[in-house]
Amino acid sequence: QVQLVESGGGLVQPGGSLRLSCAASGSIFTIYNMDWYRQAPGKQRELVARITNSFSTTYADSVKGRFTISRDNTRNTMYLQMNSLKPEDTAIYYCHAQITAISRSTTSYWGQGTQVTVSS
């Protein structure tokens, strides 16, 4: 069984920073792409950032220059450093990953989500 668990969300003032973590655990053989998505109330879930297993990164235009995605393959953990936060960054943030289990089956996994609220 494989699972993703996010942590690090919370309430922060505009201009502040937060660091999200996503830890993968279970019978993992390989983790491919890892992503952060977010979903604001009344809006569709959107891709925020992606990091491949070769550490190539892509970002949504709305977060470029403010957010940094990274991963530690020794810990099966992904991070999202969020700086200069804006009220429009308020959303539930989800981690997502393509993981091949020890059984050699490859599946798309989602975390449970962590709330980020940017407000004064």
Side-chain angles (χ1 to χ4, degrees):
Q1 193 78 356
V2 175
Q3 64 176 353
L4 301 178
V5 178
E6 301 105 333
S7 61
L11 173 64
V12 63
Q13 291 186 341
S17 298
L18 281 175
R19 188 194 196 206
L20 305 183
S21 299
C22 171
S25 62
S27 302
I28 297 169
F29 179 70
T30 301
I31 302 177
Y32 296 101
N33 290 352
M34 300 186 80
D35 314 306
W36 287 101
Y37 284 78
R38 68 185 181 187
Q39 188 166 19
K43 294 188 177 181
Q44 289 189 329
R45 191 172 296 190
E46 63 173 351
L47 178 65
V48 174
R50 169 169 291 161
I51 185 165
T52 69
N53 57 354
S54 59
F55 301 97
S56 175
T57 60
T58 56
Y59 296 92
D61 287 344
S62 59
V63 306
K64 281 181 181 176
R66 299 188 298 121
F67 290 10
T68 302
I69 190 171
S70 61
R71 63 191 285 174
D72 181 347
N73 288 342
T74 65
R75 298 176 184 269
N76 289 336
T77 300
M78 171 178 64
Y79 305 96
L80 185 68
Q81 178 66 43
M82 304 185 294
N83 298 328
S84 302
L85 282 161
K86 304 175 181 180
E88 52 262 45
D89 294 317
T90 295
I92 299 174
Y93 285 70
Y94 298 90
C95 69
H96 170 262
Q98 291 284 342
I99 297 175
T100 296
I102 291 176
S103 65
R104 297 303 192 268
S105 65
T106 300
T107 305
S108 176
Y109 292 90
W110 290 91
Q112 81 285 356
T114 186
Q115 177 71 47
V116 172
T117 303
V118 184
S119 175
S120 54

